[in-house]
Amino acid sequence: MKIVTIVGARPQFVKEAVVGEELRKAGFEHVLVHTGQHYDYNMSEVFFNCLDIKEPDYNLGVGSGTHAVQTGLTLIRLEEVILKEKPDIVLVYGDTNATVAGALVAAKLKIPVAHVEAGMRQEPRDMPEEINRVLTDRISTFLFCPSQTAVKNLKKEGMEKGVWFTGDVMYDLYLKMEKHFDYSLAEQLDLEENGYVVVTIHRDFNTDNRDRLEEILKQLRIIVKYKRVIFPIHPRTRRRIKEFGLENHLENLDIIDPLDYLSMIGLVKHSWKLITDSGGLQKESYFAGKQAVVVMPDTGWIELVQKKINALSEPDQISDILFTASINQFEKGIYGLGDSGSRIAAILGEPE
Ligand code: UD1
């Protein structure tokens, strides 16, 4: 059986590190397509190197652009590949423009779509990722849910057929890579264990609104009086800070380039807490036993908020919440037991 998998952005590379390997182990012929949405060395290639991911068979070279440009170019270029490869299944991950474009090309060619990380829902409904999630789920045949909340979300929307609770492949990856986490950055930056906060901010609703972005940076200025702040900065966030003339707020923060997976998790593991709007890091911090202050009006990983592991925050509450919220202990099983990738491969391999 032949599967074409579509990746394009950072959160998909890390998932591919688990699922791709499991598919090949299960005997699938596996073709990997990179849309080229992320292209800087430290946004793309570094993940393939440090996680030993198979080199893509195709790179569509889509690059940056408006949503229509990114999605449209992917549709046009991917269709050619799918027509040539004639896969039995097309597999997509998460909620990026590569996800929705991959699903749409396959569904129109009547090829079953497998969606890994199906059923996630969150406000605001008009955020690009939410639009991508809803559309992709609608046209997928296999809906692989990372949490029971995701299963319930799909049920509410009338989707029960083809829905599986497999757990989260990010947890598989965390366990698989644990012995390789890279702690050297803490040494290079002379960081004390539990003595610093890690920050990542890249969502459009946080970066593209000047007032919101300024408030986030003001909060970091308060925090840095008490704790070191390490901020691996996404290229879009860096550009917006410059455009809005907010560079003065970065004084005293440790601003560094985006990190590869092993260095990022190493940094998180020795940190005190996180401030983030990343979907992946909200859970990776929890796997590492750390609390994340999530700068979002809502999150798809709501279990972690309900269980008082993470906390949602508006920009102006970040420092208050960071210094006052207590954290509950790690609870096993919320996102599966670390065997999600092999379960996905097994389900896809079952005769219908
Ligand atoms: C995308 C995903 C988001 C995911 C994130 C991880 C969508 C709609 N969003 O958002 O779900 O959490 O990836 O990072 O697909 N840029 C570079 N070099 C790169 C890549 C991007 O400089 O290698 C800059 C460009 O200026 C670009 C901007 O970053 O315009 C935004 O990149 P883009 O891929 O459009 O969206 P992300 O915010 O990364």
Side-chain angles (χ1 to χ4, degrees):
M1 209 171 5
K2 188 181 206 175
I3 295 203
V4 170
T5 298
I6 319 295
V7 295
R10 279 191 307 192
Q12 295 162 332
F13 309 144
V14 291
K15 293 174 187 115
E16 173 60 16
V18 170
V19 179
E21 192 185 317
E22 292 297 340
L23 291 175
R24 288 189 295 276
K25 267 201 236 162
F28 286 94
E29 187 185 343
H30 184 221
V31 177
L32 184 60
V33 179
H34 188 326
T35 67
Q37 178 173 346
H38 284 175
Y39 45 84
D40 285 345
Y41 175 77
N42 57 12
M43 296 288 284
S44 176
E45 202 180 327
V46 72
F47 292 93
F48 286 79
N49 294 342
C50 89
L51 299 176
D52 203 17
I53 303 170
K54 163 190 156 96
E55 208 177 301
D57 300 284
Y58 297 87
N59 190 315
L60 306 180
V62 162
S64 298
T66 63
H67 288 279
V69 167
Q70 258 177 3
T71 314
L73 283 178
T74 307
L75 289 174
I76 294 165
R77 294 177 186 173
L78 183 62
E79 189 182 51
E80 253 178 65
V81 174
I82 301 293
L83 285 171
K84 181 169 158 230
E85 293 289 345
K86 300 187 179 48
D88 300 291
I89 295 168
V90 169
L91 186 142
V92 296
Y93 299 108
D95 55 18
T96 74
N97 291 336
T99 315
V100 72
L104 191 53
V105 168
K108 290 279 177 85
L109 293 173
K110 306 199 186 306
I111 298 167
V113 176
H115 185 201
V116 175
E117 210 178 78
M120 303 302 292
R121 296 290 182 270
Q122 78 168 92
E123 299 289 343
R125 291 279 154 177
D126 64 355
M127 76 191 268
E129 288 80 6
E130 183 66 9
I131 297 168
N132 295 342
R133 288 178 197 123
V134 171
L135 294 178
T136 303
D137 284 341
R138 272 282 150 207
I139 54 177
S140 293
T141 304
F142 299 92
L143 295 134
F144 295 126
C145 296
S147 65
Q148 292 293 357
T149 310
V151 174
K152 282 188 203 135
N153 289 341
L154 291 177
K155 195 170 178 189
K156 266 192 239 155
E157 294 175 20
M159 284 177 268
E160 290 188 75
K161 192 164 172 266
V163 175
W164 308 83
F165 169 64
T166 52
D168 186 1
V169 299
M170 303 282 294
Y171 186 44
D172 299 24
L173 184 68
Y174 184 91
L175 297 177
K176 179 175 159 189
M177 290 295 158
E178 210 165 7
K179 48 186 178 302
H180 304 296
F181 294 159
D182 182 349
Y183 300 100
S184 59
L185 194 68
E187 218 171 282
Q188 275 168 40
L189 295 176
D190 198 17
L191 300 173
E192 249 175 62
E193 197 162 341
N194 295 321
Y196 60 92
V197 176
V198 178
V199 178
T200 79
I201 293 291
H202 75 279
R203 294 284 167 195
D204 63 354
F205 53 77
N206 283 329
T207 60
D208 295 1
N209 174 323
R210 188 185 189 282
D211 292 345
R212 214 173 147 95
L213 185 57
E214 184 169 27
E215 185 56 47
I216 293 170
L217 298 178
K218 278 187 182 164
Q219 292 285 315
L220 300 184
R221 275 178 92 162
I222 299 174
I223 293 162
V224 81
K225 290 185 195 147
Y226 307 96
K227 292 272 179 192
R228 295 262 306 264
V229 173
I230 319 301
F231 190 176
I233 198 162
H234 186 287
R236 188 227 306 267
T237 313
R238 189 187 281 277
R239 208 181 56 210
R240 290 283 185 255
I241 289 174
K242 194 158 174 243
E243 271 169 24
F244 293 146
L246 299 173
E247 291 107 320
N248 58 319
H249 292 294
L250 301 182
E251 248 173 57
N252 302 327
L253 311 183
D254 287 276
I255 303 291
I256 57 174
D257 284 335
L259 295 172
D260 67 76
Y261 177 83
L262 299 177
S263 308
M264 188 67 194
I265 308 295
L267 188 69
V268 167
K269 244 197 135 174
H270 281 181
S271 70
W272 176 54
K273 289 189 182 190
L274 276 89
I275 298 168
T276 191
D277 61 8
S278 151
L281 270 177
Q282 287 174 51
K283 288 167 296 157
E284 284 157 346
S285 53
Y286 147 74
F287 301 151
K290 305 292 168 174
Q291 182 172 57
V293 176
V294 178
V295 190
M296 284 183 162
D298 187 17
T299 172
W301 310 104
I302 196 72
E303 314 76 18
L304 297 179
V305 175
Q306 289 159 346
K307 291 175 187 293
K308 298 208 177 342
I309 293 166
N310 289 344
L312 291 174
S313 177
E314 278 304 308
D316 61 354
Q317 306 165 318
I318 295 172
S319 57
D320 273 354
I321 292 180
L322 184 81
F323 288 114
T324 56
S326 58
I327 177 169
N328 277 341
Q329 290 300 309
F330 184 92
E331 190 182 312
K332 257 194 157 177
I334 304 177
Y335 299 118
L337 299 172
D339 59 354
S340 312
S342 59
R343 294 179 66 180
I344 287 168
I347 294 163
L348 292 176
E350 272 168 20
E352 278 176 40

